PDB file of all heavy atoms in Angstrom:
ATOM      1  N   PHE A   8      84.245 -23.995 -45.929  1.00  0.00           N
ATOM      2  CA  PHE A   8      83.809 -24.308 -47.287  1.00  0.00           C
ATOM      3  C   PHE A   8      82.321 -24.633 -47.306  1.00  0.00           C
ATOM      4  O   PHE A   8      81.876 -25.532 -48.013  1.00  0.00           O
ATOM      5  CB  PHE A   8      84.623 -25.479 -47.830  1.00  0.00           C
ATOM      6  CG  PHE A   8      86.088 -25.196 -47.961  1.00  0.00           C
ATOM      7  CD1 PHE A   8      86.985 -25.656 -47.007  1.00  0.00           C
ATOM      8  CD2 PHE A   8      86.577 -24.444 -49.016  1.00  0.00           C
ATOM      9  CE1 PHE A   8      88.341 -25.393 -47.116  1.00  0.00           C
ATOM     10  CE2 PHE A   8      87.924 -24.167 -49.133  1.00  0.00           C
ATOM     11  CZ  PHE A   8      88.817 -24.640 -48.185  1.00  0.00           C
ATOM     12  N   VAL A  57     134.139 -43.017 -86.514  1.00  0.00           N
ATOM     13  CA  VAL A  57     135.465 -43.490 -86.093  1.00  0.00           C
ATOM     14  C   VAL A  57     135.647 -44.959 -86.486  1.00  0.00           C
ATOM     15  O   VAL A  57     136.737 -45.390 -86.938  1.00  0.00           O
ATOM     16  CB  VAL A  57     135.646 -43.298 -84.581  1.00  0.00           C
ATOM     17  CG1 VAL A  57     136.946 -43.929 -84.107  1.00  0.00           C
ATOM     18  CG2 VAL A  57     135.607 -41.817 -84.225  1.00  0.00           C
ATOM     19  N   ALA A  62     138.171 -49.222 -89.802  1.00  0.00           N
ATOM     20  CA  ALA A  62     138.028 -50.314 -90.751  1.00  0.00           C
ATOM     21  C   ALA A  62     138.869 -50.096 -91.998  1.00  0.00           C
ATOM     22  O   ALA A  62     139.322 -51.056 -92.644  1.00  0.00           O
ATOM     23  CB  ALA A  62     136.549 -50.480 -91.130  1.00  0.00           C
ATOM     24  N   ASP A  74     139.462 -34.693 -81.456  1.00  0.00           N
ATOM     25  CA  ASP A  74     139.711 -33.339 -80.960  1.00  0.00           C
ATOM     26  C   ASP A  74     138.427 -32.524 -80.852  1.00  0.00           C
ATOM     27  O   ASP A  74     138.482 -31.290 -80.778  1.00  0.00           O
ATOM     28  CB  ASP A  74     140.712 -32.621 -81.885  1.00  0.00           C
ATOM     29  CG  ASP A  74     140.241 -32.614 -83.338  1.00  0.00           C
ATOM     30  OD1 ASP A  74     139.215 -33.290 -83.630  1.00  0.00           O
ATOM     31  OD2 ASP A  74     140.875 -31.945 -84.169  1.00  0.00           O
ATOM     32  N   ASP A 134     139.682 -56.545 -64.125  1.00  0.00           N
ATOM     33  CA  ASP A 134     140.800 -56.761 -65.005  1.00  0.00           C
ATOM     34  C   ASP A 134     140.297 -57.076 -66.390  1.00  0.00           C
ATOM     35  O   ASP A 134     139.142 -57.290 -66.648  1.00  0.00           O
ATOM     36  CB  ASP A 134     141.691 -57.877 -64.461  1.00  0.00           C
ATOM     37  CG  ASP A 134     140.917 -59.168 -64.336  1.00  0.00           C
ATOM     38  OD1 ASP A 134     139.736 -59.094 -63.932  1.00  0.00           O
ATOM     39  OD2 ASP A 134     141.471 -60.216 -64.654  1.00  0.00           O
ATOM     40  N   VAL A 199     130.186 -49.311 -80.832  1.00  0.00           N
ATOM     41  CA  VAL A 199     130.136 -49.985 -82.136  1.00  0.00           C
ATOM     42  C   VAL A 199     131.399 -50.835 -82.262  1.00  0.00           C
ATOM     43  O   VAL A 199     132.508 -50.354 -81.972  1.00  0.00           O
ATOM     44  CB  VAL A 199     130.037 -48.969 -83.292  1.00  0.00           C
ATOM     45  CG1 VAL A 199     130.069 -49.687 -84.633  1.00  0.00           C
ATOM     46  CG2 VAL A 199     128.775 -48.133 -83.157  1.00  0.00           C
ATOM     47  N   ARG A 202     136.493 -54.469 -86.819  1.00  0.00           N
ATOM     48  CA  ARG A 202     137.713 -55.302 -86.869  1.00  0.00           C
ATOM     49  C   ARG A 202     138.760 -54.535 -87.663  1.00  0.00           C
ATOM     50  O   ARG A 202     138.647 -54.338 -88.875  1.00  0.00           O
ATOM     51  CB  ARG A 202     137.426 -56.655 -87.504  1.00  0.00           C
ATOM     52  CG  ARG A 202     138.676 -57.569 -87.544  1.00  0.00           C
ATOM     53  CD  ARG A 202     138.313 -58.984 -87.851  1.00  0.00           C
ATOM     54  NE  ARG A 202     137.620 -59.610 -86.743  1.00  0.00           N
ATOM     55  CZ  ARG A 202     138.220 -60.127 -85.680  1.00  0.00           C
ATOM     56  NH1 ARG A 202     139.538 -60.084 -85.566  1.00  0.00           N
ATOM     57  NH2 ARG A 202     137.524 -60.685 -84.718  1.00  0.00           N
ATOM     58  N   LEU A 231     107.588 -24.610 -65.088  1.00  0.00           N
ATOM     59  CA  LEU A 231     106.365 -25.248 -64.600  1.00  0.00           C
ATOM     60  C   LEU A 231     106.131 -24.946 -63.124  1.00  0.00           C
ATOM     61  O   LEU A 231     104.991 -24.687 -62.712  1.00  0.00           O
ATOM     62  CB  LEU A 231     106.446 -26.755 -64.820  1.00  0.00           C
ATOM     63  CG  LEU A 231     106.440 -27.232 -66.274  1.00  0.00           C
ATOM     64  CD1 LEU A 231     106.566 -28.744 -66.339  1.00  0.00           C
ATOM     65  CD2 LEU A 231     105.174 -26.787 -66.991  1.00  0.00           C
ATOM     66  N   ALA A 243      91.422 -20.173 -59.783  1.00  0.00           N
ATOM     67  CA  ALA A 243      90.633 -20.002 -58.562  1.00  0.00           C
ATOM     68  C   ALA A 243      89.922 -18.655 -58.546  1.00  0.00           C
ATOM     69  O   ALA A 243      88.736 -18.561 -58.199  1.00  0.00           O
ATOM     70  CB  ALA A 243      91.531 -20.155 -57.332  1.00  0.00           C
ATOM     71  N   ARG A 251      80.250 -16.394 -58.162  1.00  0.00           N
ATOM     72  CA  ARG A 251      79.533 -15.346 -57.425  1.00  0.00           C
ATOM     73  C   ARG A 251      78.520 -14.646 -58.318  1.00  0.00           C
ATOM     74  O   ARG A 251      77.387 -14.372 -57.901  1.00  0.00           O
ATOM     75  CB  ARG A 251      80.520 -14.329 -56.855  1.00  0.00           C
ATOM     76  CG  ARG A 251      79.838 -13.273 -55.991  1.00  0.00           C
ATOM     77  CD  ARG A 251      80.821 -12.330 -55.350  1.00  0.00           C
ATOM     78  NE  ARG A 251      81.433 -11.443 -56.321  1.00  0.00           N
ATOM     79  CZ  ARG A 251      82.240 -10.435 -56.002  1.00  0.00           C
ATOM     80  NH1 ARG A 251      82.541 -10.225 -54.729  1.00  0.00           N
ATOM     81  NH2 ARG A 251      82.771  -9.672 -56.928  1.00  0.00           N
ATOM     82  N   ALA A 271      54.922 -11.629 -44.302  1.00  0.00           N
ATOM     83  CA  ALA A 271      53.689 -12.374 -44.610  1.00  0.00           C
ATOM     84  C   ALA A 271      52.916 -11.716 -45.738  1.00  0.00           C
ATOM     85  O   ALA A 271      51.684 -11.657 -45.723  1.00  0.00           O
ATOM     86  CB  ALA A 271      52.830 -12.526 -43.362  1.00  0.00           C
ATOM     87  N   ARG A 288      64.574 -20.501 -64.290  1.00  0.00           N
ATOM     88  CA  ARG A 288      63.479 -21.453 -64.109  1.00  0.00           C
ATOM     89  C   ARG A 288      63.139 -21.621 -62.630  1.00  0.00           C
ATOM     90  O   ARG A 288      61.971 -21.784 -62.263  1.00  0.00           O
ATOM     91  CB  ARG A 288      63.852 -22.799 -64.728  1.00  0.00           C
ATOM     92  CG  ARG A 288      63.929 -22.751 -66.251  1.00  0.00           C
ATOM     93  CD  ARG A 288      63.923 -24.149 -66.826  1.00  0.00           C
ATOM     94  NE  ARG A 288      65.141 -24.877 -66.529  1.00  0.00           N
ATOM     95  CZ  ARG A 288      66.242 -24.845 -67.262  1.00  0.00           C
ATOM     96  NH1 ARG A 288      66.279 -24.109 -68.367  1.00  0.00           N
ATOM     97  NH2 ARG A 288      67.309 -25.546 -66.931  1.00  0.00           N
ATOM     98  N   PRO A 390      14.585 -40.951 -48.374  1.00  0.00           N
ATOM     99  CA  PRO A 390      13.404 -41.033 -47.495  1.00  0.00           C
ATOM    100  C   PRO A 390      12.117 -40.889 -48.294  1.00  0.00           C
ATOM    101  O   PRO A 390      12.029 -40.097 -49.234  1.00  0.00           O
ATOM    102  CB  PRO A 390      13.616 -39.862 -46.523  1.00  0.00           C
ATOM    103  CG  PRO A 390      15.077 -39.583 -46.571  1.00  0.00           C
ATOM    104  CD  PRO A 390      15.521 -39.907 -47.955  1.00  0.00           C
ATOM    105  N   ASP A 407      24.161 -49.679 -68.428  1.00  0.00           N
ATOM    106  CA  ASP A 407      24.858 -49.764 -69.709  1.00  0.00           C
ATOM    107  C   ASP A 407      23.878 -49.875 -70.856  1.00  0.00           C
ATOM    108  O   ASP A 407      22.821 -50.515 -70.762  1.00  0.00           O
ATOM    109  CB  ASP A 407      25.793 -50.976 -69.707  1.00  0.00           C
ATOM    110  CG  ASP A 407      26.916 -50.766 -68.725  1.00  0.00           C
ATOM    111  OD1 ASP A 407      27.472 -49.657 -68.710  1.00  0.00           O
ATOM    112  OD2 ASP A 407      27.211 -51.706 -67.965  1.00  0.00           O
ATOM    113  N   GLY A 409      22.027 -47.721 -72.051  1.00  0.00           N
ATOM    114  CA  GLY A 409      20.861 -46.878 -71.904  1.00  0.00           C
ATOM    115  C   GLY A 409      19.646 -47.608 -71.394  1.00  0.00           C
ATOM    116  O   GLY A 409      18.524 -47.128 -71.541  1.00  0.00           O
ATOM    117  N   SER A 426       8.330 -48.496 -54.494  1.00  0.00           N
ATOM    118  CA  SER A 426       7.550 -47.875 -55.566  1.00  0.00           C
ATOM    119  C   SER A 426       8.113 -48.140 -56.940  1.00  0.00           C
ATOM    120  O   SER A 426       7.656 -47.571 -57.918  1.00  0.00           O
ATOM    121  CB  SER A 426       7.458 -46.365 -55.328  1.00  0.00           C
ATOM    122  OG  SER A 426       8.741 -45.817 -55.377  1.00  0.00           O
ATOM    123  N   HIS A 464      17.177 -32.501 -58.757  1.00  0.00           N
ATOM    124  CA  HIS A 464      15.792 -32.509 -58.271  1.00  0.00           C
ATOM    125  C   HIS A 464      15.319 -31.107 -57.914  1.00  0.00           C
ATOM    126  O   HIS A 464      14.166 -30.733 -58.129  1.00  0.00           O
ATOM    127  CB  HIS A 464      15.680 -33.436 -57.060  1.00  0.00           C
ATOM    128  CG  HIS A 464      14.347 -33.378 -56.384  1.00  0.00           C
ATOM    129  ND1 HIS A 464      14.107 -32.579 -55.300  1.00  0.00           N
ATOM    130  CD2 HIS A 464      13.169 -34.018 -56.665  1.00  0.00           C
ATOM    131  CE1 HIS A 464      12.846 -32.722 -54.918  1.00  0.00           C
ATOM    132  NE2 HIS A 464      12.252 -33.597 -55.729  1.00  0.00           N
TER     133      HIS A 464
END
Side-chain angles (χ1 to χ4, degrees):
F8 297 101
V57 173
D74 55 353
D134 60 321
V199 177
R202 181 166 289 279
L231 293 178
R251 184 176 70 174
R288 291 195 291 273
D407 293 316
S426 63
H464 173 265

